[in-house]
Amino acid sequence: MAQERQLHLGAFMRPVSLHTGAWRYPGAYPDANFNFKHLKAFAQKLEAAKFDAFFMADHLAVLNMPVEALKRSQTVTSFEPFTLLSALAAVTERIGLVATASTTFDEPYHVARRFASLDHISDGRAGWNIVTTANPDAALNFGLDEHIEHGERYQRAREFYDVVTGLWDSFADDAFTRDVESGQFFDPARMHVLNHKGDELSVRGPLNIARPPQGWPVIVQAGQSEPGRQLAAETAEVVFCSPRDLLSAQALYADIKGRMAAVGRDPRHLKILPAAFIVVGSNVEEARAKRANLDSLVHYDSAIASLSIALGQDASGFDPDGPLPDIGETNASKTGRAQVLKLAQDEGLTVRQLAQRYGGYSGLAFVGTPETIADQMAEWLAERGSDGFNVVFPYLPQGLDDVVDQLVPELQRRGIFRRDYQGMTLREHLGLPRPVNSFFAGR
Ligand SMILES: Cc1cc2nc3c(=O)[nH]c(=O)nc-3n(C[C@H](O)[C@H](O)[C@H](O)COP(=O)(O)O)c2cc1C
């Protein structure tokens, strides 16, 4: 029987997987970043499984790591998300299509047009993942010598959101009368000129696109810092985040939903979806072995570079096959470092295994059978750690097939995931209201 609160599932897509070793996994499609045939098949399979959304992350520079590590990674290059999602919109009918766009390196008029277009093309399935872009190298690709300061990036992001949503409201939903008889295509009284002049942005408007079918495409936010959480509370309808355990997820969940209430928003109008790396096996040992095999495919050069970053100390001199030696305090993030030490201890990992975990995928992972994973997901939902998950597939296509063919039916049996879509738009899948036009209320 369907439970009152249901999981929402997004697919956190990197076409070959986010895991650095995945392109070397048996059966992988190492060319999937630029092979539309594979991406189409993934999207259609996720839609058949009734996923809420296909999320295409995006970066405006290659990853900022030494080329010796970079050359091992398949996530270095990928399609531009709007081109990809527009093509996917034509070969899918129901699944949401979420793209990342940066408020630091883009212009609000461009962003408003692109998402409005995608929303029209897909009949109301677009979502905008607002990021302020953490990678400092992106600045070098956009005419700057150095990155814009974190606080200023978030200030611009907040104003950027107001401008984009204001532009989407340029026309009332019924503005385009197209009256052949009188020869009037639209009613000028139903058009609003934004005339925005703020601290960071100056945009006249109106947008040269009819209001999107969803009113506004779904607003997603992926920043975790103090200003990131505040931006989420004020604007977001979905939060992508990366807590590592239920306790920290609950704290983040309560914090963001609490901030929403403080700014007068209904906390039910925001879905918090942590990224979860999911490895399914026919028993727990098999699932762990699959993960260990995958991790072992991370080349030691990039693995040890990632571990050194996490520890804040060069680890290249450590014995790869021994335990992590005792290390003193460093200048690295204390939480990050403590997490490394705890993981090494809890799982009894060698330096090599630990490095390969960090070089592969080190975030929240559910590794087990469909039943044990469904238990964990149900617990997170019930204990208010999340409203669902943004699923990271360990390797494709097999890892995606395992989730769709084995885990999803188990979630459906338990009544915590839909057996069919109830609506047509991404807003409807997520149970989010359609925003009222700020300039033409009620229409
Ligand atoms: C699930 C998830 C997805 C993300 N996707 C992107 C992305 O596509 N592009 C990007 O530049 N940053 C992405 N980020 C990074 C965030 O935008 C942000 O930079 C990071 O969480 C640090 O937060 P802060 O900037 O508030 O300190 C993502 C983060 C998470 C947790």
Coordinates of all heavy atoms in Angstrom, one line a residue, residues 12-14 18 55-60 81 99-102 129-135 138 150 153-154 220-229 239-243 273-276 361 390 392, ligand 1:
F12 N 21.7 11.2 -10.7 CA 22.8 12.2 -10.7 C 23.8 11.7 -11.8 O 24.6 10.9 -11.6 CB 23.5 12.2 -9.3 CG 24.6 13.2 -9.1 CD1 25.1 13.4 -7.8 CD2 25.1 14.0 -10.1 CE1 26.1 14.3 -7.6 CE2 26.1 14.9 -9.9 CZ 26.6 15.1 -8.6
M13 N 23.6 12.2 -13.0 CA 24.2 11.6 -14.2 C 25.6 12.2 -14.5 O 25.7 13.4 -14.7 CB 23.3 11.8 -15.4 CG 22.0 11.0 -15.3 SD 22.3 9.2 -15.1 CE 23.2 8.7 -16.6
R14 N 26.5 11.4 -14.6 CA 27.7 11.6 -15.4 C 27.6 10.3 -16.3 O 27.5 9.2 -15.8 CB 29.0 11.6 -14.6 CG 29.1 12.7 -13.6 CD 28.8 14.1 -14.1 NE 30.0 14.7 -14.7 CZ 29.9 15.8 -15.4 NH1 28.8 16.3 -15.7 NH2 31.0 16.4 -15.9
L18 N 30.2 8.9 -12.0 CA 31.0 9.8 -11.2 C 32.3 9.2 -10.7 O 33.3 9.8 -10.4 CB 30.3 10.4 -10.0 CG 29.5 11.7 -10.1 CD1 28.8 11.9 -8.8 CD2 30.4 12.8 -10.4
F55 N 19.4 14.3 -13.9 CA 20.1 15.5 -13.6 C 21.5 15.5 -14.2 O 22.3 14.6 -14.0 CB 20.2 15.7 -12.1 CG 21.3 16.6 -11.6 CD1 21.4 17.9 -12.2 CD2 22.3 16.2 -10.7 CE1 22.5 18.8 -11.8 CE2 23.3 17.1 -10.3 CZ 23.4 18.3 -10.8
M56 N 21.7 16.5 -15.1 CA 23.0 16.6 -15.7 C 23.8 17.7 -15.1 O 23.6 18.9 -15.2 CB 22.8 16.9 -17.2 CG 24.1 16.8 -18.1 SD 24.8 15.2 -18.1 CE 26.3 15.5 -19.0
A57 N 24.8 17.3 -14.3 CA 25.7 18.2 -13.6 C 26.5 18.9 -14.7 O 26.6 18.5 -15.9 CB 26.6 17.5 -12.7
D58 N 27.2 20.0 -14.4 CA 28.0 20.8 -15.4 C 29.1 21.5 -14.7 O 29.0 22.0 -13.6 CB 27.1 21.7 -16.2 CG 27.8 22.3 -17.4 OD1 28.5 21.5 -18.0 OD2 27.7 23.5 -17.7
H59 N 30.2 21.6 -15.4 CA 31.3 22.4 -15.0 C 31.9 23.2 -16.1 O 31.8 22.8 -17.2 CB 32.4 21.4 -14.4 CG 31.8 20.5 -13.3 ND1 31.8 21.0 -12.0 CD2 31.2 19.3 -13.3 CE1 31.2 20.1 -11.3 NE2 30.8 19.1 -12.0
L60 N 32.5 24.4 -15.7 CA 32.9 25.3 -16.8 C 34.4 25.3 -16.9 O 35.0 26.3 -17.5 CB 32.4 26.7 -16.4 CG 30.8 26.8 -16.4 CD1 30.4 28.1 -15.8 CD2 30.3 26.6 -17.8
P81 N 25.0 20.8 -21.1 CA 23.7 20.2 -20.6 C 22.5 20.6 -21.4 O 21.6 19.7 -21.6 CB 23.6 20.6 -19.2 CG 24.6 21.6 -18.9 CD 25.6 21.5 -20.0
A99 N 19.2 20.7 -15.4 CA 20.6 21.1 -15.8 C 21.1 22.1 -14.8 O 20.4 22.9 -14.1 CB 20.5 21.8 -17.1
T100 N 22.5 22.1 -14.7 CA 23.2 23.1 -13.9 C 23.4 24.3 -14.7 O 23.8 24.2 -15.9 CB 24.5 22.5 -13.4 OG1 24.3 21.4 -12.5 CG2 25.4 23.5 -12.7
A101 N 23.2 25.5 -14.1 CA 23.7 26.7 -14.8 C 24.3 27.6 -13.7 O 23.7 27.7 -12.6 CB 22.6 27.4 -15.5
S102 N 25.4 28.3 -14.0 CA 26.1 29.1 -13.0 C 25.7 30.5 -13.0 O 25.5 31.2 -14.0 CB 27.6 29.0 -13.4 OG 28.3 29.9 -12.6
N129 N 19.5 23.8 -11.7 CA 20.3 23.6 -10.5 C 21.2 24.8 -10.5 O 22.1 25.0 -11.3 CB 21.2 22.3 -10.7 CG 22.2 22.2 -9.5 OD1 21.9 22.6 -8.4 ND2 23.3 21.5 -9.8
I130 N 20.9 25.7 -9.5 CA 21.7 27.0 -9.3 C 23.0 26.6 -8.6 O 23.0 26.1 -7.5 CB 20.9 27.9 -8.4 CG1 19.5 28.3 -9.0 CG2 21.7 29.2 -8.1 CD1 18.7 29.3 -8.2
V131 N 24.1 26.9 -9.3 CA 25.4 26.8 -8.6 C 26.1 28.2 -8.8 O 25.9 28.9 -9.7 CB 26.3 25.7 -9.1 CG1 25.6 24.3 -9.0 CG2 26.8 25.9 -10.6
T132 N 27.0 28.4 -7.8 CA 27.9 29.6 -7.9 C 29.3 29.3 -8.4 O 30.1 30.2 -8.5 CB 28.0 30.3 -6.5 OG1 28.6 29.4 -5.6 CG2 26.6 30.7 -6.0
T133 N 29.5 28.0 -8.8 CA 30.7 27.5 -9.3 C 31.9 27.6 -8.3 O 32.5 28.7 -8.1 CB 31.1 28.2 -10.7 OG1 30.0 28.0 -11.6 CG2 32.4 27.6 -11.3
A134 N 32.3 26.4 -7.8 CA 33.4 26.4 -6.8 C 34.8 26.3 -7.5 O 35.7 26.8 -6.9 CB 33.2 25.2 -5.9
N135 N 34.9 25.7 -8.7 CA 36.2 25.5 -9.3 C 36.8 26.9 -9.7 O 36.3 27.5 -10.7 CB 36.0 24.6 -10.5 CG 37.3 24.3 -11.2 OD1 38.3 24.9 -10.9 ND2 37.2 23.4 -12.2
A138 N 37.4 28.0 -13.5 CA 36.4 28.5 -14.4 C 36.6 30.0 -14.7 O 36.4 30.4 -15.8 CB 35.0 28.3 -13.8
H150 N 33.7 34.1 -2.5 CA 32.5 33.3 -2.2 C 31.3 34.1 -1.8 O 30.2 33.9 -2.4 CB 32.9 32.3 -1.0 CG 32.0 31.2 -0.7 ND1 31.0 31.3 0.2 CD2 31.9 30.0 -1.3 CE1 30.3 30.2 0.3 NE2 30.8 29.4 -0.6
R153 N 29.8 35.9 -4.7 CA 29.2 35.0 -5.6 C 27.7 34.7 -5.2 O 26.8 34.7 -6.0 CB 29.9 33.6 -5.7 CG 31.3 33.7 -6.2 CD 31.8 32.4 -6.9 NE 31.7 31.2 -6.0 CZ 32.8 30.8 -5.3 NH1 33.9 31.5 -5.2 NH2 32.6 29.7 -4.6
Y154 N 27.6 34.5 -3.9 CA 26.2 34.2 -3.4 C 25.3 35.4 -3.4 O 24.1 35.3 -3.6 CB 26.3 33.6 -2.0 CG 26.4 32.1 -2.1 CD1 27.6 31.4 -1.9 CD2 25.3 31.3 -2.4 CE1 27.7 30.0 -2.0 CE2 25.4 29.9 -2.6 CZ 26.6 29.3 -2.4 OH 26.7 28.0 -2.6
V220 N 16.5 24.3 -8.2 CA 17.3 23.3 -7.4 C 18.5 24.1 -7.0 O 19.0 25.0 -7.6 CB 17.8 22.2 -8.3 CG1 18.5 21.1 -7.5 CG2 16.6 21.5 -9.1
Q221 N 19.1 23.7 -5.8 CA 20.2 24.5 -5.3 C 21.2 23.4 -4.7 O 20.8 22.5 -4.0 CB 19.7 25.4 -4.2 CG 20.5 26.7 -4.0 CD 21.8 26.4 -3.2 OE1 22.9 26.8 -3.7 NE2 21.8 25.8 -2.1
A222 N 22.5 23.6 -4.9 CA 23.4 22.6 -4.5 C 24.6 23.1 -3.6 O 25.6 22.4 -3.4 CB 24.0 21.9 -5.7
G223 N 24.5 24.3 -3.1 CA 25.5 24.8 -2.2 C 25.3 24.4 -0.8 O 24.1 24.3 -0.3
Q224 N 26.4 24.2 0.0 CA 26.2 23.7 1.3 C 26.7 24.6 2.4 O 26.4 24.4 3.6 CB 27.1 22.4 1.5 CG 26.9 21.4 0.4 CD 25.6 20.8 0.4 OE1 25.3 19.9 1.2 NE2 24.7 21.2 -0.5
S225 N 27.3 25.7 2.0 CA 27.9 26.7 3.0 C 26.7 27.4 3.6 O 25.6 27.3 3.2 CB 28.8 27.7 2.3 OG 28.1 28.3 1.3
E226 N 27.1 28.3 4.6 CA 26.0 29.1 5.3 C 25.2 29.9 4.2 O 24.0 29.8 4.2 CB 26.8 30.0 6.3 CG 26.0 31.2 6.9 CD 24.8 30.7 7.7 OE1 24.9 29.6 8.4 OE2 23.8 31.4 7.7
P227 N 25.9 30.7 3.3 CA 25.0 31.4 2.4 C 24.3 30.5 1.4 O 23.3 30.8 0.9 CB 26.0 32.3 1.6 CG 27.4 31.9 2.0 CD 27.3 31.1 3.3
G228 N 24.9 29.3 1.1 CA 24.3 28.3 0.3 C 23.0 27.8 0.9 O 21.9 27.7 0.2
R229 N 23.0 27.5 2.2 CA 21.8 27.1 2.9 C 20.7 28.2 2.9 O 19.5 27.9 2.8 CB 22.1 26.7 4.3 CG 23.0 25.4 4.4 CD 23.4 25.2 5.8 NE 24.3 24.0 5.9 CZ 24.3 23.2 6.9 NH1 23.5 23.4 7.9 NH2 25.1 22.2 7.0
V239 N 16.9 20.5 -3.0 CA 18.3 20.7 -2.6 C 19.0 19.4 -2.9 O 18.6 18.3 -2.5 CB 18.4 21.1 -1.1 CG1 19.8 20.8 -0.6 CG2 18.0 22.5 -0.9
F240 N 20.1 19.6 -3.6 CA 21.1 18.5 -3.8 C 22.2 18.7 -2.8 O 22.7 19.8 -2.6 CB 21.7 18.5 -5.2 CG 20.8 18.2 -6.3 CD1 21.2 18.6 -7.6 CD2 19.7 17.4 -6.2 CE1 20.4 18.3 -8.7 CE2 18.9 17.1 -7.2 CZ 19.2 17.5 -8.5
C241 N 22.5 17.6 -2.0 CA 23.5 17.8 -1.0 C 24.3 16.5 -0.8 O 24.0 15.5 -1.5 CB 22.8 18.2 0.4 SG 21.5 17.1 0.8
S242 N 25.3 16.5 0.0 CA 26.1 15.3 0.1 C 26.5 15.0 1.6 O 27.7 14.9 1.9 CB 27.4 15.4 -0.7 OG 28.0 16.7 -0.5
P243 N 25.5 14.8 2.5 CA 25.8 14.4 3.8 C 26.3 12.9 3.8 O 26.0 12.2 2.9 CB 24.5 14.5 4.5 CG 23.5 14.2 3.5 CD 24.0 14.8 2.2
L273 N 17.4 16.1 -1.4 CA 17.8 14.9 -2.0 C 19.3 14.7 -1.9 O 20.0 15.2 -2.8 CB 17.4 14.8 -3.5 CG 15.9 15.1 -3.8 CD1 15.7 14.9 -5.3 CD2 15.0 14.2 -3.1
P274 N 19.8 14.0 -0.9 CA 21.2 13.7 -0.8 C 21.7 12.8 -2.0 O 20.9 12.0 -2.4 CB 21.4 13.0 0.5 CG 20.2 13.2 1.3 CD 19.1 13.4 0.3
A275 N 22.9 13.0 -2.4 CA 23.5 12.1 -3.4 C 23.8 10.8 -2.7 O 24.4 10.8 -1.6 CB 24.8 12.7 -3.9
A276 N 23.4 9.7 -3.3 CA 23.7 8.4 -2.8 C 24.2 7.4 -3.8 O 23.6 7.2 -4.9 CB 22.4 7.8 -2.2
Y361 N 34.9 7.3 -5.3 CA 33.7 8.1 -4.9 C 33.7 7.9 -3.4 O 33.5 6.8 -2.9 CB 32.4 7.6 -5.5 CG 31.2 8.5 -5.1 CD1 31.0 9.6 -5.9 CD2 30.4 8.2 -4.0 CE1 29.9 10.4 -5.5 CE2 29.4 9.0 -3.7 CZ 29.1 10.1 -4.4 OH 28.1 11.0 -4.1
N390 N 19.4 11.5 -4.8 CA 19.9 11.7 -6.1 C 20.9 10.6 -6.3 O 22.0 10.6 -5.7 CB 20.6 13.1 -6.0 CG 20.6 13.8 -7.3 OD1 20.0 13.4 -8.3 ND2 21.4 14.8 -7.4
V392 N 23.6 8.1 -7.5 CA 24.9 8.0 -8.2 C 25.1 6.6 -8.6 O 25.1 5.7 -7.7 CB 26.1 8.5 -7.4 CG1 27.4 8.4 -8.1 CG2 25.8 9.9 -6.9
Ligands
LIG1 C1 24.7 16.7 -5.5 C2 25.6 17.9 -5.8 C3 25.6 18.3 -7.2 C4 26.4 19.3 -7.6 N1 26.5 19.7 -8.9 C5 27.3 20.7 -9.3 C6 27.4 21.0 -10.7 O1 26.8 20.4 -11.5 N2 28.2 22.0 -11.0 C7 29.0 22.7 -10.1 O2 29.7 23.6 -10.5 N3 28.9 22.4 -8.8 C8 28.1 21.4 -8.3 N4 28.0 21.1 -7.0 C9 28.8 21.9 -6.0 C10 28.0 22.9 -5.3 O3 27.4 23.8 -6.3 C11 28.8 23.7 -4.3 O4 29.9 24.4 -5.0 C12 29.4 22.9 -3.2 O5 28.3 22.1 -2.7 C13 30.0 23.8 -2.1 O6 29.1 24.6 -1.5 P1 29.3 26.1 -1.3 O7 29.7 26.8 -2.6 O8 28.0 26.7 -0.8 O9 30.5 26.2 -0.3 C14 27.2 20.0 -6.6 C15 27.1 19.7 -5.3 C16 26.3 18.6 -4.9 C17 26.2 18.2 -3.4

